[in-house]
Amino acid sequence: MTDTTFKKRKKWSVFDIAAFVVLGLLAIVTFFPFYNVLIISVAKFEAISKSDFYIFPLSFDLSAYKLLLQDMKFWTSIFNSVIVTVVGVLFSMTISVAGAYALSKRGMPGRNIMLSLILFTMFFNGGLIPFYLVVKDLGFVNNILVMIIPAGLNTFYLIIMKNYFNTIPESLEESAKLDGANDLYILFKIIIPISAPFMATFALFYAVERWNEWWYALIFISDAAKAPLQIYLRETLITSNSLLSQMAQTMAEQEQTGKVYTPALQMAAIVVSSIPIIVVYPFLQKHFNKGIMVGSIKG
Amino acid sequence: MADSVTTRTPKRSLKTLAPKQSLGKTILQYKYFYLMVLPVLIWYALFSYAPMYGVTLAFKTFNYSEGILGSPWVGLENFQTLLTDPDFRKAFWNTVIISLMKLVTHFPMPIILAIVLYEFSRTKMKRFFQTILTFPHFISWVVLSGIIINILSKDGIYNQIIMLFGGDPNSPLVDESAFRPVLYITHVWREIGWDSIIYLAALAGINPELFEAAEVDGANRFRRLLNIAWPGLKSTVAVLLILQVGQLLTQGSSFEQIFNLYSSPVYSVADTIDTYIYRTSFTIGGDFGYMTAVGVVKSIISLILLWAANTFAKKMGEEGLY
């Protein structure tokens, strides 16, 4: 974003070299754990004895992936997460785009009160128990919609969107009005199309949020058939009480040669579940700098 | 945040010359906008304000069959119990310490990173570094915790390195003295790149001519940072600092991170108000009225912190949040 500043020198300054070293080290530290995940996911059971296999892959074995992909619970959780992500993004984008656009209208009576009420929720809330009871009374217990509706609005994104709409010149809307368009028509036919990249960024933000959702599921969903991917991962990775990790464990114990190494299975689950994020990441990366820039904090 | 109703754009000021419209007429004119904002308002009413009403539960003993409304009042009893509850006290101090330490260890990092990235003149490489450093932000704490647990496990890379240098293998995740640093380090790991974006945006907003002029005048890099970059960053830093202080107890002691990483051996140093409420209410079965009171104390402290930070920022000559 600062590409066109005057600092376009060809030569490496001392500062550049120092910055390169610091950034390089930081990048290695940041990236290494993910590389580690990849290596372990393809490690053979016997590889544990080799002390250095963590840095370089010494074995290549896809049986962890095979076992993972045979697990029905894994597919159910993926299915649930896909539903939550797709429907969730539609829900979140519809209400936040419309709401943010309306809230960007400075002349609307009551706008300041609405904005203050919304901002206040960033700093004060009823806490977990009242929230739980209200959401329970609304019928969201063991209902997949809990990850779509109560989870579906991000105040921070709403404010950034509102600030973004404020930057669109009013003359655009006024000329459309002269042609007889109403406000809804203007939003859907003019404003949204011209801000497509911006909208895409926030749709992706919401998509990542929904894909990573587990807190609402932890609290409101006890029915395993409705659990999203992150709950499945939690069981496999952290509490280790998923059927799958127990299976791998017993398999490994029974035959010492062992077919699947439990950490390999866990890391394979991480790899597979992260594929969608890795796929959308380049798009996210391309746009979020601009998105955040127009948004800033204040409005 | 509060723009006045009369606006400053020249186009609108023409309107104000026209005879004043009645409020009813203006509202009618904005009918579609009210329609658009309605779902958002309903959402906040249901999921933010209705639970706020539920705060009255803090003054009640929760009765399952009666719900929030019908549960009997007990006055301040829940709050009196709080004062003598050792678990609450521990959770409270853990929350304060973890949040404050996270603020101290993390807050300056993205600012430093943004300045280094800004000053780094290789554009393509800059992008590359940013891409890598922002990535962990998009991975859930569940997955990141899985990775961290693996790295710090008995035969994980951490212990391999320790043993390489002749140390004894250990696991920081079950070690009371090492658990909190794990929280601080992994928090920086996840958020440094993401948090630096907003500072980079602020830096990009500075007029490059200022830098050029300073360079012509012979200012070195440090001088330019101090006299041009820093003044340009200052207000962003202030706003973010206020926001973070206001949300200190909520986000500082992130439930997602701690809940996925901790286990019973480290409860004494890691059980925060949020994890305490969750554990007690949903796994042990504590009284919902009492647990609501715990949450209320947290929210009130957050509000006081926000107010204090904002007042302080205003005294320092910054704009503040409100």
Side-chain angles (χ1 to χ4, degrees):
Chain A
M1 12 203 243
T2 55
D3 312 344
T4 50
T5 55
F6 73 103
K7 288 195 264 63
K8 266 209 163 167
R9 302 188 204 99
K10 285 281 162 281
K11 261 177 35 188
W12 280 74
S13 64
V14 179
F15 177 86
D16 280 342
I17 296 167
F20 179 77
V21 172
V22 172
L23 291 170
L25 285 174
L26 199 58
I28 291 171
V29 170
T30 306
F31 185 69
F32 187 78
F34 297 104
Y35 170 73
N36 202 228
V37 166
L38 206 60
I39 289 176
I40 297 172
S41 75
V42 294
K44 274 203 180 94
F45 186 72
E46 311 90 78
I48 323 171
S49 53
K50 305 224 199 278
S51 64
D52 51 352
F53 86 96
Y54 281 118
I55 296 171
F56 302 104
L58 284 187
S59 59
F60 185 80
D61 177 44
L62 290 176
S63 48
Y65 287 89
K66 270 183 210 144
L67 185 62
L68 178 74
L69 298 181
Q70 279 163 17
D71 187 20
M72 269 319 287
K73 267 183 84 183
F74 175 69
W75 289 109
T76 315
S77 71
I78 292 247
F79 176 75
N80 290 338
S81 279
V82 169
I83 301 266
V84 165
T85 305
V86 173
V87 183
V89 168
L90 279 175
F91 172 80
S92 300
M93 284 305 279
T94 312
I95 74 164
S96 40
V97 167
Y101 182 63
L103 288 168
S104 75
K105 296 294 149 209
R106 291 212 165 85
M108 180 167 67
R111 168 190 181 259
N112 290 336
I113 300 166
M114 294 180 213
L115 271 177
S116 307
L117 284 173
I118 288 169
L119 285 173
F120 182 64
T121 63
M122 283 179 95
F123 303 103
F124 190 83
N125 58 60
L128 177 62
I129 304 300
F131 180 77
Y132 172 79
L133 292 172
V134 168
V135 175
K136 187 181 136 229
D137 286 344
L138 291 169
F140 283 112
V141 171
N142 269 327
N143 183 340
I144 200 167
L145 285 175
V146 78
M147 294 175 276
I148 294 169
I149 297 173
L153 193 65
N154 183 319
T155 304
F156 192 62
Y157 297 171
L158 185 75
I159 300 297
I160 294 178
M161 286 184 184
K162 185 216 88 182
N163 291 352
Y164 166 79
F165 287 127
N166 276 337
T167 65
I168 295 178
E170 266 178 63
S171 50
L172 198 71
E173 290 153 80
E174 271 167 27
S175 56
K177 264 208 173 129
L178 288 178
D179 291 341
N182 73 32
D183 298 311
L184 281 171
Y185 183 89
I186 292 174
L187 173 61
F188 285 103
K189 291 286 167 175
I190 297 170
I191 303 294
I192 291 177
I194 62 160
S195 29
F198 184 83
M199 296 291 144
T201 311
F202 279 87
L204 288 174
F205 279 166
Y206 271 126
V208 172
E209 253 186 35
R210 292 290 76 80
W211 187 255
N212 285 341
E213 179 51 56
W214 66 280
W215 189 85
Y216 286 86
L218 175 80
I219 289 174
F220 294 102
I221 292 185
S222 50
D223 183 351
K226 286 169 182 155
L229 179 66
Q230 300 292 328
I231 291 291
Y232 176 87
L233 287 173
R234 223 187 100 73
E235 284 177 358
T236 311
L237 294 173
I238 297 167
T239 54
S240 283
N241 61 13
S242 81
L243 203 62
L244 193 63
S245 31
Q246 282 159 15
M247 234 163 80
Q249 207 103 46
T250 37
M251 270 167 86
E253 275 160 17
Q254 277 167 2
E255 349 170 3
Q256 273 306 306
T257 53
K259 274 194 182 128
V260 176
Y261 171 42
T262 315
L265 185 80
Q266 294 174 325
M267 298 303 117
I270 290 181
V271 173
V272 177
S273 71
S274 303
I275 289 172
I277 293 187
I278 295 165
V279 170
V280 300
Y281 188 61
F283 300 99
L284 274 175
Q285 233 280 330
K286 210 169 126 200
H287 292 300
F288 60 47
N289 291 356
K290 283 181 219 142
I292 297 290
M293 228 156 102
V294 284
S296 160
I297 295 284
K298 299 199 51 173
Chain B
M1 53 192 131
D3 304 83
S4 57
V5 178
T6 49
T7 49
R8 301 139 227 146
T9 50
K11 203 162 283 147
R12 288 290 180 82
S13 61
L14 281 179
K15 259 184 210 162
T16 49
L17 289 178
K20 215 170 171 257
Q21 246 180 5
S22 73
L23 186 65
K25 231 178 177 173
T26 319
I27 289 178
L28 206 66
Q29 195 189 326
Y30 281 93
K31 59 180 183 291
Y32 288 115
F33 293 119
Y34 289 108
L35 197 66
M36 288 181 210
V37 83
L38 190 65
V40 168
L41 295 182
I42 293 173
W43 190 92
Y44 279 101
L46 285 179
F47 303 118
S48 290
Y49 283 92
M52 278 187 213
Y53 173 74
V55 160
T56 50
L57 206 53
F59 306 95
K60 294 180 170 189
T61 297
F62 187 66
N63 184 328
Y64 262 99
S65 52
E66 304 286 334
I68 298 179
L69 286 172
S71 294
W73 293 93
V74 290
L76 290 174
E77 199 188 287
N78 287 330
F79 291 94
Q80 281 160 355
T81 320
L82 268 177
L83 296 173
T84 53
D85 177 358
D87 285 337
F88 169 74
R89 230 182 262 182
K90 198 169 271 170
F92 176 77
W93 286 114
N94 284 341
T95 310
V96 172
I97 293 166
I98 291 172
S99 311
L100 271 178
M101 278 302 289
K102 255 193 200 168
L103 189 70
V104 172
T105 53
H106 177 75
F107 190 77
M109 296 297 176
I111 304 175
I112 296 168
L113 175 66
I115 291 174
V116 172
L117 278 170
Y118 182 72
E119 290 281 315
F120 187 52
S121 64
R122 327 308 297 189
T123 311
K124 275 205 180 126
M125 252 180 240
K126 191 194 308 201
R127 285 245 178 80
F128 170 76
F129 284 129
Q130 252 195 299
T131 306
I132 289 190
L133 298 179
T134 320
F135 183 70
H137 174 80
F138 294 100
I139 304 295
S140 73
W141 269 119
V142 171
V143 168
L144 292 182
S145 302
I147 297 176
I148 293 161
I149 290 167
N150 186 280
I151 286 175
L152 298 177
S153 71
K154 198 166 81 279
D155 44 22
I157 184 100
Y158 171 79
N159 276 317
Q160 292 203 1
I161 292 172
I162 296 262
M163 285 191 290
L164 201 67
F165 290 101
D168 290 325
N170 62 71
S171 178
L173 287 174
V174 289
D175 178 351
E176 287 188 0
S177 61
F179 186 79
R180 283 177 185 163
V182 170
L183 294 179
Y184 309 144
I185 293 167
T186 55
H187 178 66
V188 173
W189 171 52
R190 185 176 194 241
E191 307 292 359
I192 186 169
W194 175 253
D195 289 350
S196 72
I197 290 175
I198 197 142
Y199 299 112
L200 275 167
L203 284 168
I206 299 171
N207 185 353
E209 280 172 24
L210 287 175
F211 281 97
E212 278 169 59
E215 206 177 26
V216 171
D217 288 347
N220 61 23
R221 196 181 293 271
F222 180 70
R223 274 250 149 249
R224 294 201 301 267
L225 272 182
L226 200 69
N227 294 339
I228 302 170
W230 178 244
L233 264 183
K234 222 170 56 173
S235 63
T236 308
V237 172
V239 169
L240 288 178
L241 191 60
I242 299 166
L243 272 175
Q244 306 241 316
V245 171
Q247 297 177 313
L248 197 66
L249 299 192
T250 325
Q251 321 233 299
S253 56
S254 147
F255 177 86
E256 312 223 322
Q257 180 191 21
I258 295 171
F259 185 71
N260 284 315
L261 282 173
Y262 84 161
S263 52
S264 52
V266 291
Y267 280 171
S268 63
V269 294
D271 203 12
T272 58
I273 296 178
D274 285 341
T275 55
Y276 174 58
I277 295 176
Y278 175 79
R279 257 186 337 114
T280 321
S281 317
F282 292 98
T283 56
I284 303 172
D287 174 52
F288 274 18
Y290 177 64
M291 284 331 225
T292 305
V294 173
V296 167
V297 169
K298 193 189 85 168
S299 279
I300 289 173
I301 294 170
S302 287
L303 268 189
I304 295 172
L305 280 174
L306 177 72
W307 171 80
N310 200 48
T311 311
F312 182 72
K314 278 186 178 164
K315 285 245 163 72
M316 299 296 288
E318 293 297 335
E319 258 188 278
L321 273 184
Y322 53 87

